[in-house]
Amino acid sequence: MAALRGRWRLPPAGARPQGCRPGHGAPGRAKRLRVSQLFQPLNLQAGGEAGWDGRAAEPLCRSQKLMLQGGLIHPAGPGCYCYLPPTVRAMEKLVKVMDEEMQAVGGQKVNMPSLSSAELWRASGRWDRMGPELFRLADRHGKGYCLGPTHEEAVTELVAAQSNLSYKQLPLRLYQVTRKFRDEPKPRFGLLRSREFYMKDMYTFDASEEAARQTYDLVCNAYRSLFHRLGLPFVKVRAATGSIGGTMSHEFQLPADVGEDRLVLCPHGHFAANVETLNGEQTPCPTCGEKLTQTRGIEVGHTFYLGTKYSSVSNAVFYSPENKLQLAEMGCYGLGVTRILAASIEVLSTEDSIRWPSLIAPYQLCFIPPKSGSKEEEEEGAALLEQVYDDLAEALPHLAGDSVLDDRTQLTIGKRLKDAKKLGYPYVVIAGKRVCEDPPVFEVWNQNAGEVLFLTKEGVIELLSKVQVP
């Protein structure tokens, strides 16, 4: 039990958490969330040696190392991970932002089964074409299924089942956020290349090719908006259609050394493509003639104009204004939810400290009270800091659930601040030496801006009033 307590940072048996004042659970007051109570098994001192996820020879990329050390993920098998509570919080925030962007372009949310009938995949021709990437299984009656890596067949069948669909109901833009499964031959780099992952996938149905292409531009612009809001340095590149098919495709890539895709870019922004679209030849920019530069990228989004590739198989039709049946023109659009989380850590972080996109950080604030037995504690520094915590929750209720109190007061402030930096809290509020002044002054670290401020309680609340959460 002692070893377990050390690993999970449980408080001593029977002990009341440091700094806890009677009545803190009084009606109307937000319950303080304490670091000692979080299920986040840290190993922040580890050097990130190979073997963390059970494959001794496999190197770790930055995001994988930081997520393992920070107690964000736990390996459950090759390419499969448990997402721990902070990661789930970040993922839920990211999904909220995606919901806002998808619903702003008329998206309606659905949820389709992970089990997809082999008959549907055979009808589209992808049962054989996908090869070993599909996880295949049979039920007790011998009926074949796959675990869906994507849902073109399923959603087209769903729409085709609506026998009286009218052009007045189009465009139809259906999306979901679900687990996906791909039997990767070499899963690696944590959530960047895994076998089980979360994806946002949208499927659109339009009355004409022109309308479908307008939808395509609309969704691509929504993706741009999403990445701008996250503060991620993305590039949109021309891409191959691959096993999904269609006649037009683009990828949204985050440039990164660890990326598996090779990209060519015009230095003036006129042209960008995945090299797989160039038939092996690196050509000058077709617009300005400048030499294209090469970089590597992590694919975080992919868009496809499908035409009638799937609607013709399932007979997904609608009644035109002339009351004639027409095939719907389709598009599909994916965003890797868990891959965006890992990729954002990969491109924003330092080698030893996580930096989240501010909007989706698991927690926005970490409060660090004085060390137990220090002068600052004796002069009510802990109580003053907790009062800031409570007043902030009252003044800015949207941040009430986004604040944690690092109650490990047996540790120095410096040690806890170092941990907070490694875990990437955007803001850290400390009851340091100046908490004893009149009025008390708190040390505030703005991690993403790389600055330290000294503020009164009112100054802290004013600074944090600008913080946004989904």
Side-chain angles (χ1 to χ4, degrees):
M1 182 63 188
L4 184 66
R5 182 175 294 119
R7 184 178 179 191
W8 300 109
R9 305 196 317 275
L10 297 174
R16 180 161 57 91
Q18 293 290 323
C20 179
R21 293 178 295 154
H24 84 273
R29 175 176 289 179
K31 182 179 179 182
R32 302 188 198 108
L33 186 60
R34 301 175 183 278
V35 166
S36 64
Q37 298 168 342
L38 299 181
F39 185 64
Q40 186 174 5
L42 304 181
N43 198 342
L44 296 175
Q45 307 310 312
E49 297 84 356
W52 274 69
D53 58 358
R55 292 169 291 163
E58 195 71 38
L60 303 185
C61 66
R62 176 189 298 165
S63 57
Q64 183 182 12
K65 180 186 73 172
L66 291 172
M67 294 185 86
L68 288 165
Q69 289 178 356
L72 300 175
I73 57 175
H74 179 80
C80 297
Y81 290 87
C82 300
Y83 309 143
L84 276 69
T87 303
V88 172
R89 284 182 60 86
M91 187 164 65
E92 289 174 343
K93 290 181 178 182
L94 177 56
V95 170
K96 282 185 180 179
V97 180
M98 290 180 178
D99 284 339
E100 291 171 6
E101 295 294 343
M102 293 300 96
Q103 290 166 19
V105 295
Q108 300 180 65
K109 203 167 189 176
V110 296
N111 196 303
M112 290 176 280
S114 293
L115 278 176
S116 193
S117 166
E119 294 174 9
L120 285 178
W121 284 72
R122 287 195 179 99
S124 70
R126 292 207 298 173
W127 183 259
D128 295 321
R129 194 158 62 247
M130 290 287 285
E133 186 174 312
L134 281 183
F135 277 106
R136 304 162 197 259
L137 65 157
D139 67 12
R140 66 182 68 193
H141 307 295
K143 184 174 174 59
Y145 294 89
C146 66
L147 293 176
T150 182
H151 279 73
E152 285 79 13
E153 286 84 356
V155 74
T156 311
E157 184 75 5
L158 171 65
V159 172
Q162 316 312 309
S163 58
N164 293 315
L165 190 65
S166 165
Y167 73 95
K168 295 178 181 179
Q169 295 168 269
L170 302 181
L172 191 58
R173 296 163 184 162
L174 305 177
Y175 80 100
Q176 61 177 352
V177 179
T178 57
R179 287 182 184 262
K180 299 289 192 292
F181 304 85
R182 291 180 186 168
D183 194 358
E184 295 284 353
K186 290 184 178 180
R188 59 177 184 159
F189 294 154
L191 302 187
L192 291 182
R193 176 64 65 184
S194 55
R195 286 178 166 170
E196 183 177 356
F197 54 94
Y198 278 89
M199 187 166 78
K200 187 286 306 175
D201 43 328
M202 173 179 266
Y203 305 92
T204 62
F205 300 80
D206 279 276
S208 67
E209 179 178 344
E210 181 184 7
R213 290 184 179 273
Q214 289 173 353
T215 291
Y216 190 93
D217 291 339
L218 196 66
V219 179
C220 284
N221 287 336
Y223 280 18
R224 286 193 182 95
S225 174
L226 173 81
F227 292 119
H228 281 309
R229 290 176 67 185
L230 296 176
L232 293 174
F234 73 94
V235 59
K236 178 188 174 187
V237 304
R238 196 175 74 187
T241 56
S243 63
I244 288 178
T247 57
M248 179 171 61
S249 174
H250 291 87
E251 293 167 344
F252 288 77
Q253 296 267 357
L254 300 189
D257 292 340
V258 76
E260 294 184 298
D261 291 301
R262 290 194 302 131
L263 315 175
V264 287
L265 311 173
C266 168
H268 304 298
H270 296 135
F271 179 82
N274 192 313
V275 295
E276 66 184 358
T277 67
L278 301 180
N279 299 319
E281 298 178 10
Q282 184 177 346
T283 58
C285 174
T287 300
C288 67
E290 285 281 343
K291 182 180 178 181
L292 298 175
T293 60
Q294 282 208 23
T295 188
R296 303 192 76 87
I298 302 169
E299 179 194 336
V300 288
H302 207 151
T303 61
F304 300 83
Y305 169 59
L306 300 172
T308 59
K309 173 180 169 63
Y310 293 91
S311 57
S312 61
V313 173
S314 295
N315 199 34
V317 295
F318 66 95
Y319 283 96
S320 71
E322 295 77 31
N323 207 33
K324 294 182 179 179
L325 289 175
Q326 268 182 240
L327 289 171
E329 293 276 340
M330 290 179 59
C332 66
Y333 310 85
L335 285 172
V337 178
T338 42
R339 185 179 286 186
I340 288 173
L341 290 184
S344 64
I345 290 174
E346 188 71 37
V347 302
L348 298 179
S349 302
T350 66
E351 285 300 324
D352 63 354
S353 295
I354 293 172
R355 289 293 177 270
W356 294 94
S358 298
L359 197 58
I360 61 170
Y363 298 99
Q364 291 290 336
L365 299 160
C366 178
F367 289 86
I368 300 181
K371 185 179 189 297
S372 180
S374 67
K375 174 189 173 185
E376 291 76 24
E377 188 202 38
E378 292 172 2
E379 297 194 21
E380 297 299 313
L384 289 167
L385 187 76
E386 290 179 359
Q387 189 62 51
V388 176
Y389 188 120
D390 295 339
D391 290 351
L392 183 83
E394 185 174 339
L396 306 172
H398 66 289
L399 294 181
D402 254 274
S403 305
V404 297
L405 182 71
D406 193 340
D407 58 335
R408 302 174 300 163
T409 52
Q410 75 278 12
L411 302 177
T412 65
I413 285 178
K415 163 61 177 158
R416 285 175 285 163
L417 175 60
K418 187 175 180 181
D419 286 357
K421 288 181 176 179
K422 287 185 174 183
L423 293 173
Y425 298 104
Y427 294 91
V428 183
V429 181
I430 301 170
K433 297 187 184 303
R434 296 185 61 182
V435 77
C436 301
E437 295 180 6
D438 186 18
V441 173
F442 300 91
E443 187 178 328
V444 182
W445 287 71
N446 182 341
Q447 303 277 56
N448 291 341
E451 63 180 6
V452 185
L453 305 170
F454 292 89
L455 303 171
T456 62
K457 177 180 73 174
E458 291 75 19
V460 172
I461 293 174
E462 182 181 357
L463 173 69
L464 298 175
S465 68
K466 301 177 181 66
V467 174
Q468 293 182 340
V469 293

